[in-house]
């Protein structure tokens, strides 16, 4: 369920907004890596009525940028605030259609450890196994690099680079 007409706002600094802005690229990278089975949602807590500032694969829940925060996200936020330093919660949920999702909500902190946003990752559990696995197989458009060397120290890195 979505929170309607909450009119809840927080006072944000320029740094708070910059921190949230930096997470937009993280969302895009995660979505590209994880594939179409995941909905990635970035919430700003500055204004609950327009909380969603970035969403990828929003068709699973029917949300778009500018959507309000949900009651479940607010519940997760309260759980995180009272969770003795653990800034994330993993759980199972359902979308509006009743389809199951495996979800996690992660607090985003700014200066003075103030929670300014939430990163929510929802895996749509009814995606076909074929579609899920094809996300991890290379194709012509894939950027396949040469092998990577994992060194134990900087000296090994220099030797392998030469």
């Amino acid at each position: 369920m979505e929170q309607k007409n909450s009119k809840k706002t927080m006072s944000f600094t320029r740094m708070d907004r910059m921190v949230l802005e930096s997470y937009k690229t993280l969302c895009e990278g995660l979505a590209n890596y994880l594939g179409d089975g995941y909905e990635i949602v970035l919430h700003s807590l500055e204004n609950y009525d327009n909380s969603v500032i970035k969403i990828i694969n929003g068709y699973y829940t029917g949300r778009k940028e500018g959507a309000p925060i949900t009651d479940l996200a607010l519940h997760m936020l309260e759980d995180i605030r009272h969770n003795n330093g653990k800034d994330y919660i993993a759980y199972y949920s359902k979308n509006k259609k009743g389809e199951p999702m495996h979800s996690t909500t992660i607090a985003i902190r700014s200066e003075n450890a103030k929670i300014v946003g939430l990163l929510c990752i929802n895996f749509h559990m009814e995606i076909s196994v074929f579609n899920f696995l094809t996300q991890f197989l290379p194709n012509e458009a894939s950027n396949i690099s040469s092998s990577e060397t994992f060194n134990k120290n900087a000296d090994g890195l220099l030797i392998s680079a030469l």
Side-chain angles (χ1 to χ4, degrees):
M1 268 171 93
E2 293 186 355
Q3 187 86 1
K4 297 209 190 274
N5 299 322
S6 63
K7 302 298 183 215
K8 174 73 174 173
T9 60
M10 289 177 60
S11 179
F12 271 26
T13 66
R14 183 174 177 264
M15 180 59 71
D16 296 338
R17 289 185 193 97
M18 287 174 54
V19 167
L20 286 171
E21 190 65 29
S22 74
Y23 272 79
K24 289 181 178 181
T25 301
L26 174 70
C27 292
E28 292 169 4
L30 278 172
N32 182 267
Y33 176 73
L34 294 171
D36 294 337
Y38 289 85
E39 178 187 66
I40 311 289
V41 186
L42 180 60
H43 289 279
S44 167
L45 299 179
E46 186 171 20
N47 181 338
Y48 287 8
D49 289 334
N50 301 93
S51 174
V52 176
I53 60 172
K54 182 75 175 175
I55 189 164
I56 301 167
N57 298 328
Y59 47 83
Y60 286 119
T61 58
R63 291 181 290 175
K64 297 179 180 174
E65 289 180 19
I69 197 163
T70 64
D71 57 345
L72 182 59
L74 288 173
H75 178 74
M76 293 297 135
L77 176 61
E78 284 307 307
D79 284 354
I80 288 169
R81 285 182 172 144
H82 298 96
N83 210 8
N84 297 325
K86 187 174 157 191
D87 277 352
Y88 62 90
I89 297 175
Y91 53 95
Y92 291 90
S93 61
K94 292 184 178 183
N95 65 14
K96 286 194 266 188
K97 299 176 199 170
E99 299 165 329
M101 297 186 298
H102 186 222
S103 304
T104 190
T105 297
I106 305 164
I108 299 170
R109 293 185 182 269
S110 186
E111 297 174 290
N112 303 316
K114 176 172 87 172
I115 298 176
V116 295
L118 299 171
L119 175 61
C120 299
I121 303 170
N122 303 308
F123 175 65
H124 189 264
M125 295 175 64
E126 290 188 352
I127 188 172
S128 75
V129 172
F130 175 79
N131 286 344
F132 178 76
L133 291 177
T134 57
Q135 301 292 319
F136 298 98
L137 299 174
N139 58 40
E140 293 94 35
S142 298
N143 184 11
I144 300 174
S145 64
S146 60
S147 64
E148 184 174 7
T149 305
F150 299 95
N151 295 292
K152 294 183 180 182
N153 55 47
D155 291 339
L157 174 63
L158 290 174
I159 290 170
S160 64
L162 294 174

